[in-house]
Amino acid sequence: GNSVTQMEGPVTLSEEAFLTINCTYTATGYPSLFWYVQYPGEGLQLLLKATKADDKGSNKGFEATYRKETTSFHLEKGSVQVSDSAVYFCALSDTRGSNYKLTFGKGTLLTVNP
Amino acid sequence: DAGVIQSPRHEVTEMGQEVTLRCKPISGHNSLFWYRQTMMRGLELLIYFNNNVPIDDSGMPEDRFSAKMPNASFSTLKIQPSEPRDSAVYFCASSLFVGTSNQPQHFGDGTRLSIL
């Protein structure tokens, strides 16, 4: 079955530090890959996505590249801000079969200190 | 544009009571999802509707849980009778299913449910 493994948190950084949150996946088909962000007291918001190998998703300074050879979709940002403090979820959606289902990682809590 | 709207935002009730959670999806979306989020189990898909029809309810924990979608703009998730282990944040999400795939899901702000 499909699964997503992301690095366990919490991750604590100082403002302007470089961020990497690792995500690897297992899928039987050809998944689309997503990063969602959850701010305190809110629902999940789509941060970025990639639908095929070597695609790079980007938004708000965050980037992730779909690496089929390493089955990875690591999230990066060059300079984090206090406002980036949130929980980040990696997810996949199989494009064949049950393509409505999102399989989520367990989430990584990021705290950015001023 | 209005996003996914859930009510209530918070619910505290005693064990054994009936709980009804409500969701209004984004207008024009034809897929609706109910999720449960806990510290122990993370995000779990409970049920998925497409065009108001339940397609996959394999994630519904047991018969105490039921979900309906009487029309394209409203869905309910009901727990009867409720138990303390049902305490969690329940999210509703909607998306547009086009062709053979779903567009990204949009989430509501959730209902934080506490069963005493």
Side-chain angles (χ1 to χ4, degrees):
Chain A
N2 297 337
S3 68
V4 174
T5 303
Q6 59 183 106
M7 63 186 287
E8 292 191 18
V11 174
T12 302
L13 297 173
S14 297
E15 206 164 23
E16 299 184 2
F18 184 86
L19 168 71
T20 300
I21 301 178
N22 290 337
C23 171
T24 57
Y25 66 89
T26 301
T28 54
Y30 301 93
S32 294
L33 302 173
F34 307 85
W35 277 100
Y36 278 82
V37 59
Q38 184 179 27
Y39 299 103
E42 298 183 11
L44 279 70
Q45 302 175 26
L46 178 66
L47 181 59
L48 53 84
K49 67 174 183 177
T51 58
K52 62 183 187 295
D54 299 325
D55 268 2
K56 177 186 283 188
S58 61
N59 185 26
K60 300 181 181 178
F62 291 90
E63 293 183 340
T65 301
Y66 189 142
R67 301 286 188 201
K68 189 176 179 183
E69 64 274 15
T70 54
T71 62
S72 65
F73 193 55
H74 304 321
L75 182 68
E76 296 182 337
K77 186 175 185 181
S79 177
V80 293
Q81 306 299 312
V82 172
S83 57
D84 294 327
S85 299
V87 181
Y88 292 81
F89 293 89
C90 185
L92 71 82
S93 172
D94 203 327
T95 56
R96 299 189 301 182
S98 302
N99 57 26
Y100 53 86
K101 273 191 174 179
L102 275 176
T103 301
F104 286 94
K106 292 196 178 297
T108 301
L109 173 63
L110 169 66
T111 301
V112 180
N113 295 318
Chain B
D1 289 340
V4 176
I5 299 172
Q6 292 186 244
S7 64
R9 288 297 312 274
H10 304 275
E11 176 86 14
V12 180
T13 191
E14 292 188 346
M15 185 176 75
Q17 297 297 306
E18 178 179 290
V19 173
T20 300
L21 311 181
R22 297 173 176 79
C23 175
K24 177 178 170 57
I26 291 173
S27 177
H29 282 187
N30 55 5
S31 292
L32 184 137
F33 309 79
W34 281 101
Y35 290 89
R36 179 171 66 177
Q37 185 180 40
T38 61
M39 289 294 292
M40 291 296 295
R41 302 171 68 94
L43 267 165
E44 304 172 277
L45 177 66
L46 300 178
I47 188 168
Y48 160 63
F49 291 88
N50 184 258
N51 291 324
N52 312 337
V53 176
I55 302 300
D56 183 353
D57 64 356
S58 60
M60 296 286 264
E62 49 199 271
D63 292 345
R64 296 185 298 105
F65 285 69
S66 62
K68 294 182 179 180
M69 192 164 186
N71 57 61
S73 59
F74 185 65
S75 176
T76 59
L77 178 67
K78 188 171 294 187
I79 308 172
Q80 167 63 18
S82 58
E83 297 182 3
R85 60 193 168 116
D86 301 331
S87 298
V89 181
Y90 290 81
F91 288 103
C92 177
S94 70
S95 71
L96 182 63
F97 189 92
V98 178
T100 59
S101 65
N102 264 299
Q103 300 302 303
Q105 296 177 25
H106 296 259
F107 284 73
D109 286 340
T111 295
R112 183 173 296 277
L113 176 64
S114 298
I115 308 296
L116 305 177

